[in-house]
Amino acid sequence: MRALPLNPAAATEAVPRRPVRWHIAVFLAPAFLIYTAVMIVPLIETLRLSFFRAVDNRQVYVGTANFSKLLTDPLWSHSFWNALVNNSYFLSIHLVVMVPLGIALAALLSLPRLRGATFYRTAIFMPTMLSFVIVGFTWKLILSPLWGIAPHLLNLVGLQNLFGPYLGDEHTALTTLGFISVWQYVGVPMMLMYAAMLSIPEEVMEAAEVDGILGFSQFFRIKLPLLWPTVGLIAILTFVGNFNSFDLVYTTQGVLAGPNYSTDILGTLLYRTFFGAMLQLGDPNMGAAVATAMFTIMLIVVCAYLFIVQRKINRYQF
C-alpha cells in the first residue's frame, strides 16, 4: 500500500486546482449587460422617480406622498381603483375561461385516436404568434356594426337579435376584450398542459386501467392531480401577463380606454399618466408611482405563490 503524506501542506499541493472558467463569464456578459440596461436600470430608475416630485424644474424627494396622492386624492384614486377593478375582472375572465378551456383542449388533443390532432394544435396556437395590432384591428372590424362580418353571420343563423355594439357599450366592452384575449392566448395553457400530460409515466396510466379507471374518471382522478403544478404555473403566468396588459386595449379602444374608461386597466392608466394623452400632460413621477404599485401587487402575489402554494404542491407531488 502507498503511504499517505504526513505533511498536510504536501497533501493540499497534491490536489490539482480547478481551472477558472473565464469563458463562461465572457459568454454571459453580453446578455447580462443587455438585460441590465433594458430591465434592471429602468426598474431602479422607476422606483426612484416614484419617491420624487418635480418642483420648479427640480426633483424633490417627497417620500410616499405620490402613493398617498394616488390612493387617496379624488383626482387620482378614482382612476387608479377603477383600473385595478377592471384589471381584476379582466384577469378573472382568463382564469375562469382560458385556463379550464386550455386544460380541456389539451385533454382532447392528447387522445390517441383523435385524427388531425397536429392540425388542431397548430390552428389553436397560431393566434398567439399574431401581432396584437393585427388581432385588435381585426376583431374591431369583425364586431363593427357598420361593416363587420359578425352581424351578417348572426343573420344567417337567425340570431341577429344577439348582436350589439359590444366594443361600444360600457357594460360589454371589457368582457368582449377579455374573450378576444382568451381566443388569442388559449394556445399557451393548452400546449403547457399537453406537454405535461405527455410526461405522465405510462406505468401510472396502465395501473389505472388495470384498476378499472377509464375515460373521464381517469382524467379527473389520475391525470389532473398530477398536473396541479402545471396548472399553478399557468395561473401565475396568466396573472403576470394580465397585469402587464396594455396592447389589446390600446389598439381597440385607444389610449382613453373607452367608452368612458370602462376598459381602462393599469397598463393604459400608466401610459396616460406617464406620457400624457389628448389634453392631459404627462407626469413621470406619478406614472412611476403607478408602475411601482403595479410592480408591488405582482411581487406580492408571485411571492405568495412561490413560498406558499408552490411549496405545498411540490411537497405532495410524486
Side-chain angles (χ1 to χ4, degrees):
M1 297 179 61
R2 183 180 179 181
L4 297 175
L6 300 178
N7 188 359
T12 304
E13 294 177 357
V15 178
R17 294 183 178 180
R18 292 185 178 181
V20 180
R21 300 178 179 179
W22 295 104
H23 63 281
I24 298 178
V26 172
F27 286 122
L28 290 178
F32 176 77
L33 293 176
I34 294 174
Y35 185 80
T36 301
V38 176
M39 298 294 294
I40 303 300
V41 173
L43 176 61
I44 296 175
E45 182 64 14
T46 300
L47 296 176
R48 187 191 69 82
L49 275 177
S50 64
F51 294 99
F52 286 80
R53 184 177 297 171
V55 179
D56 296 332
N57 295 325
R58 295 186 303 109
Q59 292 292 327
V60 179
Y61 178 77
V62 293
T64 59
N66 289 332
F67 299 101
S68 299
K69 184 177 181 180
L70 180 66
L71 298 177
T72 59
D73 191 332
L75 295 177
W76 292 93
S77 61
H78 176 74
S79 298
F80 176 76
W81 292 115
N82 175 64
L84 182 60
V85 170
N86 289 341
N87 229 144
S88 302
Y89 178 73
F90 195 69
L91 170 66
S92 66
I93 293 176
H94 288 76
L95 293 179
V96 174
V97 178
M98 187 182 74
V99 176
L101 182 60
I103 296 174
L105 291 173
L108 291 175
L109 295 177
S110 64
L111 296 176
R113 297 181 181 179
L114 180 65
R115 295 182 178 180
T118 303
F119 170 78
Y120 295 135
R121 287 197 303 269
T122 305
I124 296 173
F125 190 77
M126 186 69 70
T128 63
M129 297 183 288
L130 296 177
S131 168
F132 62 87
V133 177
I134 296 175
V135 172
F137 277 103
T138 300
W139 277 100
K140 197 171 183 178
L141 291 174
I142 291 174
L143 297 175
S144 172
L146 298 178
W147 52 75
I149 194 176
H152 302 288
L153 293 178
L154 291 175
N155 285 334
L156 293 177
V157 294
L159 299 176
Q160 60 272 15
N161 293 330
L162 296 179
F163 181 78
Y166 299 117
L167 291 175
D169 189 347
E170 295 182 21
H171 301 93
T172 59
L174 187 60
T175 304
T176 304
L177 289 179
F179 282 104
I180 292 174
S181 182
V182 167
W183 169 83
Q184 182 179 8
Y185 293 110
V186 70
V188 175
M190 179 198 71
M191 294 303 295
L192 290 174
M193 291 300 298
Y194 180 77
M197 288 181 184
L198 294 181
S199 65
I200 297 177
E202 289 292 337
E203 294 80 3
V204 175
M205 307 311 301
E206 293 175 357
E209 293 177 359
V210 171
D211 292 338
I213 304 176
L214 302 172
F216 288 102
S217 179
Q218 184 182 90
F219 174 78
F220 287 104
R221 295 176 60 183
I222 305 298
K223 289 185 178 181
L224 190 58
L226 296 175
L227 298 174
W228 278 122
T230 306
V231 175
L233 176 63
I234 293 172
I236 199 64
L237 291 177
T238 302
F239 166 78
V240 174
N242 276 264
F243 267 75
N244 282 322
S245 295
F246 166 78
D247 43 20
L248 182 61
V249 178
Y250 181 77
T251 54
T252 55
Q253 305 298 94
V255 69
L256 296 181
N260 195 22
Y261 300 103
S262 61
T263 59
D264 194 20
I265 56 177
L266 293 175
T268 52
L269 175 64
L270 168 61
Y271 182 89
R272 287 199 315 275
T273 305
F274 200 102
F275 298 103
M278 302 300 180
L279 299 178
Q280 176 184 346
L281 297 178
D283 188 343
N285 298 106
M286 289 303 298
V290 175
T292 303
M294 293 172 58
F295 174 76
T296 303
I297 293 172
M298 288 187 287
L299 183 64
I300 292 174
V301 174
V302 171
C303 288
Y305 167 77
L306 292 177
F307 292 103
I308 299 176
V309 179
Q310 189 64 34
R311 290 179 65 180
K312 289 184 177 181
I313 291 176
N314 292 335
R315 182 180 303 174
Y316 295 108
Q317 71 177 349
F318 290 103

